[in-house]
Amino acid sequence: MERLPKGGHLLLVLLLAPWDTVPAHAQTPKDATFLSTLGELRDAGYSDKEGIIERLGQTGHPSVRAVLTALIEERLYFRNTDQKIFIAKSADSDPLRLSDPLTLKDAGSAPASSLSQIGTNNALRRVLRMALARFSLSSPDAGVRSEAAREISKSLDDQTVALLRDRLPVETNSGVRKEIGTALALAALDGSDTAARLAAVATLRESVSQDVRNRLALLLDKSPDGGYTEKDEKVRQAAASAVATIDRWRTFYSGIQTLFFGLSLGSVLVLIAIGLAITFGVMGVINMAHGELMMFGAYTTYLVQVAMPGHIGISILVAIPAAFMVSGLTGVVLERTIIRFLYGRPLETLLATFGVSLILQQTVRSIFTALNRSVVTPDWMSGSLRLNDALEITYNRLYIVIFTLIVFAAVQLVLKRTRLGLDIRAVSQNRRMAKAMGIRTEWVDAMTFGLGSGIAGVAGVALSQLTNVGPDLGQSYIIDSFMVVVFGGVGNLWGSLIGGTSMGVVNQLLEPWAGAVLAKIFVLVALILFIQARPRGLFPQKGRAAEDK
Amino acid sequence: MKRKSLFMTVGLITSGMVFAHVAAAQDTIKVGVLHSLSGTMAISETTLKDTVLMMIDAQNKKGGLLGKKLEAVVVDPASNWPLFAEKAAQLLEKDKVAVVFGCWTSVSRKSVLPVFEKDNGLLFYPVQYEGEESSKNVIYTGAAPNQQAIPAVDYLMNEVKVKRWVLEGTDYVYPRTTNKILEAYLLAKGVAPADISINYTPFGYSNWQARVAAIKKFGSAGKKTAVVSTINGDANVPFYKELGNQKISAEDIPVVAFSVGEEELSGLDTKPLVGQLAAWNYFESISTPANKAFIDQWHAYIKNPKRTTNDPMEATYIGFNLWVKAVQKIKSTDSQKVIAALPGTETPNLTGGTAKVLPNHHITKPVYIGEVKADGQFSVVWKSAGEVPGDAWSDFLPGSKDIEADWVTLNCGNYNKVTKKCSGQNLK
Amino acid sequence: MSESGKVPGLWRRTTLVDRGGPRGIDRGGRGLLTVLAVVAVAVPLLNQVVPATSAFHLSPFGITLIGKYMCYGMLAMAVDLIWGYCGILSLGHGAFFALGGYAMGMYLMRQIGPRGVYGDPVLPDFMVFLNYKSLPWFWQGFNHFPLALAMVAIVPALLALVFGWFAFRSRVTGVYLSIITQALTYALMLAFFRNDMGFGGNNGFTDFKEILGFDLHSDRTRVVLLVITAAALAAGYAACRKIVESRAGRVVLAIRDAESRTRFLGYPVESFKLWLFVISGILAGVAGALYVPQVGIINPSEFAPINSIEAVIWVAVGGRGTLYGAIAGAVLVNYLKTYLTGAFPEIWLYALGALFVLVTLFLPRGITGLLHLRSTQT
């Protein structure tokens, strides 16, 4: 635990400075000092900038917060011609819309090339973050306040503690109150009152944060002269017990996290396998171009984002049906032109679709070059859901798990409740009989392949959020999708679901011990052995006609 | 009669074509380009192929070389290592090129090395690599570990005050060697073994959740932690994405990468990466007249003003200019003679300094550490005082600290100073 | 039919196969053997006798290329043996090829001796680099050529035996079998990529110096290796021919065409499949072992699933069920690849992909089917 680091200095300065809220239209002396200090940021080196920011705070100007926020978000510029400093409303637009740092009012706009940005580096941003946390403590957003309290707890001193103490009685949100309580307890550990320390340990026992655990563990350390840093026996015992409790909880939560990792990996596997299970099950077609159909879906996402750059948030939702259409249509075309002629010869379709996959890859490479394409994650999918200090679930993976379940349900719905689904099931169970019953099997085949390919495209949308979008995207996932389908049983969606999920979970459980490669090898070997026991997968297709495949 | 004249006409035309072809061939100097245009390495290598073609174009506009035009011979080894050797042999034996610009991965270089050594070819290798090699037939214009990895670690240790280290690499020779060197270096600087964590993942690894969570845990022991990343290629994208999602920002646990440049960033959403570090010998954002001219030339050639430039491109640029200079000096393209003429040759680099060929067939390069900005460019936060000479045999590894390479006085790439023997990669 | 499943006179040549000409080998086979003989004679001539300045001189690059094609031909023949004649589509045969290659590679690595980068007389460079103190147990003995040669056959045979026994016993067939052979080769690729395995990791084995005392980089050695490859290919072809024309071969054909019926007739179908699979594995391993000294590098990407799929493509293009067709297909496709990656580096994948699609659609019997070279029986 550092005492009074640079951020602390800054906080000290900000706290002690008088905060004048009277708006000044005419330039007061305070304004002048503010502007001149601000101006020094233009030419200073990074370490000097930290000092300048300190002095900026000392001016006590009401615009300090806006300026510091702009600086940390890389929105502070100076005009090349007259060196005047401006805040840009957003860093992305060109020309930039500016506001005056003094009054925070609109100051027109200017092309980006006429302005130079005032840069920051990691150390500077660290200092700025800690400074801004002080402001965030009174933010209307509870999440922001909670974050601010956590930030402050990393560098506690008398002034920050006083700040927190002042905040506690007016804080309404229980989560934030807990954070503040933890921070205050951490501070109390450095105090001289034994009873207070004991009470602090009791409070901290409830936490599952790594920082708290480290701090408590420090109490049990021996100092160089042989004695304990924590002099009181009872406090030490309480600390030891608290550390053990925290460790137990953390292990428990990390187990849940591993489980989640497994589920999310499994959901990706399921998503890439569903389409294949359908085409494989119904038509006996081994589609080696399945990976490329996923790649098409990922590139569709990229194109949608290029087409609507201002609306990244809904771009994913638009991309899903778009990718379905693109890949689905490609699949239908493939089926009508090539696969149609290869029925009853699954091994030939494997070879032909392999040729198709080469062509599709090279097409994308020619159009989009071999370079990866940047697909932006929308804000609502970024970051993580913080359940507690020990368990954070990343949003993108969470949404993908949910998305997989939705897709699965949708496909089941199509198969079980629609006419098309009925036809598909009939054809897959007994083609000749279905034909005899009047079902147009060629049309059903085309639709089935289109459906399977469309789902591959949708899987590609999900993959674009997880990994890089390049012509080789399909190649990385094709082997896995085959494994899941074979494991789960051809043509059986539940098999794919259970198979994919279990493969993902097993892989993730093994990884911490065996390493990524050995875990993967183990899963593959287990699959090979499993197939010996159940040659047709988990849920084999029933019926005599199935044997002919 | 008719048939006779028909045969004569056909004969004349054919021999005319052959002569024309032969004559035409003699008027050009052939330059081989050995970069993967398909497969996993296509992403990185296609750009270098275009760079060589651009430089050949520009040189031809200046009147060619020794009065002849330069002709590019482009082949696609398709990221397939045996195919690299085959294509290298094709370039040297069939097409009889004067020089080859190529390779990226160490495997591809190692697989073509015997071909170049046997056929006495000349290869300019533009990518940063792990050292532990110095061949008579290769000029290494990319960074050796002492021109990239060591300065990066120094920066983290001295400026960022890092106390705990995660060495995260893809499982192959470049990260293995680099991490070996770095581990020895860190231990020599007094870092405790418990404060170093080394981990390897396979190529194309995309499921980073557990690994990033482990890094987070390692980094929350109370000491400032940094990740030295030798993760290669496609695995970088999901890695950085996961870092962003698990809210590990560069201010908490900075990651310095050796294989992430402007080109890799162009395929990424850079917002969560702001502040992450990379160590190179060149950044597109370095503002010099030479660099601006190069960037403009590149944009005009590739017809896309948004395409980035990067370090291997600068290395290709330097290599090409070095070759041209050497050839002009000795007025010959014979590879043996050019190889002998190259050590000592100098040419300006794009960041305001000079690149000089050393007797060990490496060059001098400046070192820059940059932080990622939201627009995918780097802002330089540290630079070396001058150019750093490339050291082929690392001084921090017990197996190689006694070895030096000197093709000028010792005529040996693997000379042991202690046993005074030239060994290893001998040319028979 | 005997109770133990042994059919008397199984290996006797049957009279039921149309053997074409008086020499007892059909036209395609004769063509192949003639070509191989020509190659075995012409190559040494064109390289050693014809001077280097002549336009007819065959450069070392050319020698290596032809040798490589022949090794691929052998691999294709191995795949055709089980696919064309028994209906087992293995999408992982590259694994046997690579294993044989690694066995030979281990021998060649030991031959480098003290001439490696780090100068260690026993340990190869990558082991010194990874701080190995001594040679792992599975490397012992590989400096003896006979042992290495034995391993070239034994290791792929063992893998084929174990895998085949499990697979065929459980009656895994068709697509499932193909996919798990993919899993097999993929798992092996991941394993061999690991630097900790003791097989050189991602770099594999390279920088070979000599084989049996002969310098690998000299033209003469290359020529000799090529002639040996040609001889091995011819011998392999003859052996395969003998197998498929014997009574056992007829049973194998029956298994391909009607497996259940054959089983009901009392033949031990699993044993036949297993032995054919093992022989095919050994053939592929030998192909790999001949490949490595000529190409100069062995690397885990030889295990890549895509290589095995390519081998199947060669057989499909050439015409399966003919053996010589497989070899022709391998040579043709690889020649095209060599040519296209040199002449049209930007678009060769289009051409290759189109080739696969067109051949599967329009030439189900491959090129040889087109040329009516096959006998009517098979």
Side-chain angles (χ1 to χ4, degrees):
Chain A
M1 242 354 173
E2 289 176 332
R3 304 289 285 154
L4 216 59
K6 285 208 172 102
H9 271 300
L10 188 48
L11 281 172
L12 170 70
V13 155
L14 289 172
L15 285 168
L16 295 181
W19 293 100
D20 227 343
T21 54
V22 175
H25 293 284
Q27 274 226 8
T28 65
K30 199 199 284 182
D31 287 346
T33 3
F34 174 74
L35 271 181
S36 72
T37 320
L38 193 61
E40 289 177 42
L41 279 177
R42 269 191 306 264
D43 306 310
Y46 288 122
S47 38
D48 298 327
K49 277 183 185 159
E50 291 179 34
I52 295 170
I53 289 174
E54 219 167 295
R55 280 187 286 123
L56 257 184
Q58 277 169 342
T59 62
H61 199 279
S63 306
V64 170
R65 180 180 187 184
V67 165
L68 292 184
T69 313
L71 185 57
I72 201 176
E73 290 176 5
E74 299 194 8
R75 286 188 291 113
L76 201 62
Y77 291 85
F78 66 89
R79 194 153 51 193
N80 293 338
T81 43
D82 60 1
Q83 310 283 300
K84 211 161 166 271
I85 295 194
F86 290 99
I87 299 176
K89 295 232 176 67
S90 121
D92 292 335
S93 59
D94 188 356
L96 294 163
R97 296 198 316 281
L98 306 170
S99 54
D100 181 73
L102 204 56
T103 59
L104 300 181
K105 291 223 169 51
D106 241 350
S109 67
S113 49
S114 66
L115 299 162
S116 300
Q117 196 197 23
I118 299 180
T120 54
N121 70 353
N122 280 333
L124 192 60
R125 275 196 292 275
R126 224 197 151 112
V127 165
L128 285 168
R129 263 209 316 194
M130 284 210 263
L132 287 168
R134 181 260 174 224
F135 293 104
S136 310
L137 206 53
S138 43
S139 153
D141 184 337
V144 173
R145 290 203 299 277
S146 185
E147 192 64 46
R150 265 198 298 279
E151 190 71 46
I152 292 177
S153 72
K154 292 188 190 152
S155 57
L156 290 164
D157 55 41
D158 298 329
Q159 274 65 32
T160 46
V161 167
L163 186 63
L164 290 171
R165 278 219 190 91
D166 289 337
R167 182 71 204 166
L168 192 57
V170 297
E171 181 54 60
T172 50
N173 183 295
S174 60
V176 184
R177 287 175 73 92
K178 193 157 180 273
E179 291 290 346
I180 297 179
T182 310
L184 287 172
L186 279 171
L189 281 181
D190 299 317
S192 49
D193 182 4
T194 313
R197 286 210 300 280
L198 208 53
V201 172
T203 318
L204 290 174
R205 200 198 175 79
E206 305 296 315
S207 165
V208 279
S209 148
Q210 181 73 19
D211 293 326
V212 167
R213 190 244 182 240
N214 290 346
R215 181 69 187 87
L216 286 174
L218 275 179
L219 287 177
L220 305 169
D221 266 354
K222 283 203 163 72
S223 55
D225 59 7
Y228 288 102
T229 35
E230 172 54 59
K231 296 287 178 287
D232 187 276
E233 173 77 33
K234 274 212 301 216
V235 177
R236 270 209 307 278
Q237 275 178 342
S241 146
V243 167
T245 312
I246 294 179
D247 278 343
R248 261 204 309 279
W249 276 109
R250 283 192 71 88
T251 314
F252 171 70
Y253 282 120
S254 110
I256 295 187
Q257 198 174 45
T258 308
L259 199 66
F260 174 73
F261 290 160
L263 277 176
S264 70
L265 175 62
S267 70
V268 173
L269 289 175
V270 168
L271 205 54
I272 60 182
I274 292 181
L276 201 63
I278 294 175
T279 51
F280 206 171
V282 172
M283 304 149 71
V285 170
I286 311 175
N287 184 10
M288 294 296 287
H290 187 73
E292 275 61 43
L293 292 167
M294 290 197 283
M295 190 247 299
F296 272 22
Y299 269 91
T300 311
T301 320
Y302 164 71
L303 287 173
V304 165
Q305 284 194 345
V306 164
M308 40 196 306
H311 307 281
I312 298 290
I314 58 166
S315 64
I316 301 291
L317 300 172
V318 171
I320 292 172
F324 185 86
M325 295 310 314
V326 168
S327 293
L329 275 168
T330 315
V332 171
V333 166
L334 263 180
E335 203 275 333
R336 289 283 91 199
T337 52
I338 296 171
I339 305 201
R340 180 158 66 117
F341 302 108
L342 297 172
Y343 279 131
R345 294 146 68 189
L347 305 175
E348 265 86 344
T349 49
L350 183 150
L351 300 180
T353 48
F354 179 69
V356 169
S357 81
L358 291 181
I359 295 177
L360 291 179
Q361 270 183 55
Q362 193 60 20
T363 314
V364 170
R365 212 173 269 133
S366 311
I367 300 177
F368 292 98
T369 82
L371 291 174
N372 284 338
R373 292 286 139 193
S374 156
V375 170
V376 179
T377 308
D379 288 330
W380 52 272
M381 269 182 84
S382 323
S384 49
L385 180 67
R386 190 197 183 84
L387 293 174
N388 59 38
D389 276 313
L391 189 56
E392 276 195 36
I393 303 211
T394 48
Y395 275 123
N396 63 343
R397 293 216 176 237
L398 182 65
Y399 282 123
I400 288 177
V401 172
I402 297 173
F403 180 63
T404 308
L405 293 171
I406 294 176
V407 168
F408 183 78
V411 173
Q412 285 284 40
L413 209 73
V414 166
L415 283 182
K416 296 268 157 64
R417 296 287 164 96
T418 63
R419 181 60 211 243
L420 173 67
L422 186 66
D423 290 348
I424 291 176
R425 277 184 293 141
V427 170
S428 79
Q429 281 179 13
N430 194 327
R431 180 177 287 263
R432 277 186 237 136
M433 189 63 103
K435 205 162 185 173
M437 298 286 282
I439 295 175
R440 284 154 54 211
T441 49
E442 290 90 26
W443 188 82
V444 170
D445 285 335
M447 284 300 114
T448 316
F449 204 79
L451 179 68
S453 311
I455 297 173
V458 164
V461 174
L463 285 178
S464 73
Q465 297 302 308
L466 294 176
T467 179
N468 42 337
V469 175
D472 287 342
L473 178 90
Q475 295 300 303
S476 335
Y477 288 97
I478 187 79
I479 305 279
D480 286 326
S481 47
F482 277 126
M483 300 305 150
V484 172
V485 170
V486 162
F487 179 49
V490 155
N492 190 302
L493 288 185
W494 282 105
S496 302
L497 184 72
I498 295 175
T501 316
S502 47
M503 276 172 82
V505 170
V506 168
N507 191 314
Q508 281 300 113
L509 286 175
L510 286 175
E511 229 184 78
W513 293 330
V517 180
L518 280 179
K520 187 96 203 221
I521 294 175
F522 178 81
V523 170
L524 286 170
V525 170
L527 176 70
I528 294 174
L529 293 174
F530 174 81
I531 291 292
Q532 324 292 353
R534 287 180 76 104
R536 301 234 160 229
L538 265 180
F539 299 109
Q541 271 182 323
K542 298 196 174 57
R544 289 181 68 189
E547 280 296 314
D548 291 341
K549 294 249 172 63
Chain B
M1 253 332 221
K2 252 179 148 172
R3 198 181 285 176
K4 204 166 165 194
S5 59
L6 178 67
F7 274 133
M8 277 184 65
T9 329
V10 169
L12 270 174
I13 294 176
T14 323
S15 42
M17 278 166 59
V18 169
F19 271 120
H21 176 76
V22 166
Q26 282 175 344
D27 265 340
T28 63
I29 298 175
K30 294 207 175 124
V31 175
V33 182
L34 187 64
H35 283 300
S36 302
L37 305 176
S38 57
T40 50
M41 296 314 298
I43 296 178
S44 319
E45 297 198 55
T46 320
T47 311
L48 295 186
K49 175 229 6 152
D50 288 326
T51 311
V52 177
L53 292 180
M54 175 179 83
M55 308 234 36
I56 290 179
D57 226 28
Q59 186 68 29
N60 280 339
K61 287 209 178 73
K62 285 197 272 196
L65 190 58
L66 300 183
K68 301 191 197 147
K69 291 268 180 231
L70 293 173
E71 180 191 336
V73 182
V74 180
V75 292
D76 178 14
S79 310
N80 182 316
W81 320 132
L83 209 54
F84 261 95
E86 181 187 306
K87 291 295 159 198
Q90 183 184 332
L91 285 173
L92 292 173
E93 295 170 26
K94 192 155 127 339
D95 297 304
K96 302 219 189 328
V97 298
V99 65
V100 177
F101 293 91
C103 293
W104 183 291
T105 62
S106 288
V107 190
S108 64
R109 190 188 71 250
K110 284 203 187 294
S111 86
V112 305
L113 215 49
V115 178
F116 276 92
E117 288 177 357
K118 177 167 187 290
D119 291 340
N120 255 315
L122 173 58
L123 171 71
F124 278 88
Y125 178 68
V127 182
Q128 92 274 17
Y129 80 123
E130 69 277 6
E132 310 296 292
E133 182 183 303
S134 174
S135 166
K136 186 169 188 181
N137 301 85
V138 181
I139 303 287
Y140 305 84
T141 51
N146 76 315
Q147 292 171 310
Q148 194 185 30
I150 302 275
V153 165
D154 278 337
Y155 170 77
L156 287 173
M157 218 190 294
N158 302 333
E159 310 275 333
V160 187
K161 311 274 191 280
V162 172
K163 299 270 185 292
R164 285 196 115 200
W165 304 83
V166 178
L167 305 181
E168 185 72 43
T170 303
D171 189 5
Y172 74 111
V173 112
Y174 169 63
R176 288 253 173 195
T177 316
T178 310
N179 287 346
K180 211 173 168 204
I181 295 173
L182 289 180
E183 189 187 11
Y185 184 72
L186 287 171
L187 291 172
K189 292 271 179 179
V191 178
D195 283 334
I196 305 177
S197 159
I198 306 183
N199 190 64
Y200 296 101
T201 47
F203 275 101
Y205 191 60
S206 62
N207 189 29
W208 285 97
Q209 311 171 81
R211 189 62 216 132
V212 168
I215 291 177
K216 198 170 175 181
K217 186 161 180 232
F218 188 81
S220 47
K223 298 190 210 175
K224 180 82 182 163
T225 311
V227 177
V228 178
S229 157
T230 37
I231 299 169
N232 191 278
D234 288 349
N236 271 310
V237 175
F239 174 64
Y240 283 113
K241 270 188 154 107
E242 192 64 32
L243 280 177
N245 282 326
Q246 292 201 23
K247 297 225 206 72
I248 302 176
S249 74
E251 299 125 44
D252 305 323
I253 303 180
V255 176
V256 67
F258 302 137
S259 307
V260 174
E262 289 86 345
E263 185 143 285
E264 287 74 23
L265 287 181
S266 72
L268 266 178
D269 174 20
T270 43
K271 273 210 309 297
L273 267 72
V274 167
Q276 298 293 10
L277 302 158
W280 288 103
N281 312 109
Y282 163 89
F283 284 120
E284 185 181 351
S285 58
I286 296 176
S287 180
T288 62
N291 198 12
K292 186 159 190 318
F294 181 72
I295 295 172
D296 289 337
Q297 183 189 13
W298 173 242
H299 286 165
Y301 180 82
I302 205 82
K303 301 197 192 12
N304 181 346
K306 293 220 186 74
R307 282 289 288 270
T308 55
T309 57
N310 62 11
D311 186 304
M313 284 173 71
E314 195 220 17
T316 305
Y317 166 89
I318 290 174
F320 187 85
N321 287 337
L322 285 170
W323 178 70
V324 165
K325 268 219 165 89
V327 168
Q328 281 169 337
K329 191 162 85 179
I330 60 169
K331 307 254 186 295
S332 156
T333 57
D334 176 75
S335 44
Q336 294 262 53
K337 298 200 182 116
V338 174
I339 289 173
L342 275 167
T345 312
E346 286 185 0
T347 188
N349 60 26
L350 290 174
T351 52
T354 318
K356 179 163 124 173
V357 181
L358 301 165
N360 62 8
H361 281 190
H362 285 66
I363 62 173
T364 56
K365 296 174 82 94
V367 186
Y368 295 96
I369 314 271
E371 283 188 9
V372 177
K373 296 203 311 221
D375 61 358
Q377 290 293 321
F378 289 91
S379 78
V380 177
V381 294
W382 181 86
K383 69 180 234 253
S384 60
E387 279 95 28
V388 177
D391 185 12
W393 299 98
S394 173
D395 295 332
F396 298 101
L397 289 182
S400 55
K401 67 174 193 284
D402 298 326
I403 302 182
E404 73 171 302
D406 187 331
W407 291 104
V408 175
T409 49
L410 296 171
N411 200 25
C412 180
N414 186 331
Y415 180 77
N416 193 314
K417 291 183 285 206
V418 168
T419 65
K420 305 242 188 292
K421 273 205 329 220
C422 180
S423 70
Q425 299 158 302
N426 252 338
L427 300 161
K428 274 229 170 111
Chain C
M1 209 45 59
S2 66
E3 302 77 37
S4 66
K6 279 208 171 103
V7 178
L10 204 54
W11 295 99
R12 245 194 295 133
R13 160 92 54 102
T14 74
T15 51
L16 296 173
V17 179
D18 167 29
R19 294 189 300 222
R23 284 197 61 207
I25 307 171
D26 63 342
R27 278 175 64 202
R30 264 185 293 144
L32 173 71
L33 293 174
T34 320
V35 168
L36 286 177
V38 165
V39 164
V41 167
V43 167
L45 267 176
L46 290 177
N47 179 264
Q48 297 287 303
V49 175
V50 170
T53 45
S54 156
F56 289 104
H57 176 80
L58 190 63
S59 62
F61 158 67
I63 301 176
T64 313
L65 216 56
I66 297 177
K68 201 171 86 158
Y69 292 160
M70 289 201 288
C71 292
Y72 282 148
M74 219 162 145
L75 173 63
M77 193 166 67
V79 171
D80 191 22
L81 186 66
I82 52 169
W83 186 30
Y85 290 91
C86 195
I88 305 170
L89 177 61
S90 161
L91 291 179
H93 244 58
F96 304 118
F97 184 81
L99 283 172
Y102 263 93
M104 177 60 81
M106 283 163 80
Y107 165 75
L108 292 172
M109 287 299 273
R110 293 298 306 275
Q111 291 303 102
I112 297 179
R115 288 168 295 180
V117 171
Y118 295 112
D120 190 303
V122 174
L123 295 176
D125 284 337
F126 71 89
M127 287 193 197
V128 175
F129 167 74
L130 287 170
N131 294 332
Y132 278 51
K133 294 290 172 275
S134 62
L135 219 50
W137 63 268
F138 48 87
W139 275 79
Q140 300 294 342
F142 266 93
N143 50 336
H144 300 297
F145 189 66
L147 180 80
L149 215 52
M151 283 302 174
V152 163
I154 291 175
V155 174
L158 259 171
L159 179 67
L161 190 68
V162 170
F163 180 80
W165 189 76
F166 276 115
F168 300 135
R169 190 182 61 118
S170 323
R171 313 256 183 101
V172 184
T173 53
V175 162
Y176 290 91
L177 184 63
S178 311
I179 300 293
I180 59 168
T181 52
Q182 281 252 291
L184 177 71
T185 196
Y186 186 62
L188 280 170
M189 182 183 84
L190 288 177
F192 274 76
F193 259 120
R194 293 185 75 231
N195 276 289
D196 303 328
M197 280 278 285
F199 287 105
N202 175 69
N203 268 10
F205 302 151
T206 182
D207 205 24
F208 305 131
K209 302 277 185 245
E210 58 186 35
I211 181 170
L212 285 175
F214 299 107
D215 175 21
L216 267 174
H217 299 301
S218 89
D219 279 4
R220 190 169 299 174
T221 318
R222 287 180 196 264
V223 169
V224 169
L225 277 172
L226 185 138
V227 172
I228 293 176
T229 311
L233 186 56
Y237 176 77
C240 288
R241 201 82 232 154
K242 187 169 197 308
I243 294 174
V244 302
E245 284 177 0
S246 68
R247 293 187 62 165
R250 294 309 282 177
V251 178
V252 163
L253 281 175
I255 296 174
R256 178 192 73 184
D257 295 332
E259 186 171 324
S260 314
R261 212 176 294 173
T262 318
R263 192 177 288 121
F264 293 146
L265 283 172
Y267 288 98
V269 164
E270 280 70 47
S271 308
F272 278 94
K273 279 178 158 183
L274 184 62
W275 288 117
L276 202 67
F277 196 65
V278 169
I279 292 171
S280 166
I282 295 176
L283 202 59
V286 171
L290 289 166
Y291 172 83
V292 168
Q294 300 192 65
V295 163
I297 177 172
I298 179 79
N299 166 269
S301 49
E302 294 296 338
F303 282 105
I306 200 166
N307 286 20
S308 304
I309 298 179
E310 273 190 48
V312 171
I313 300 277
W314 304 333
V315 176
V317 168
R320 55 176 160 135
T322 60
L323 294 179
Y324 54 80
I327 300 171
V331 172
L332 178 68
V333 175
N334 280 290
Y335 173 73
L336 268 178
K337 205 168 157 183
T338 304
Y339 172 70
L340 290 172
T341 51
F344 302 105
E346 312 274 350
I347 64 160
W348 68 273
L349 271 176
Y350 283 126
L352 214 60
L355 173 75
F356 297 163
V357 174
L358 294 172
V359 162
T360 352
L361 278 181
F362 299 118
L363 292 177
R365 302 196 126 183
I367 305 280
T368 54
L370 196 62
L371 297 174
H372 300 302
L373 278 180
R374 3 169 21 135
S375 68
T376 48
Q377 290 282 32
T378 41

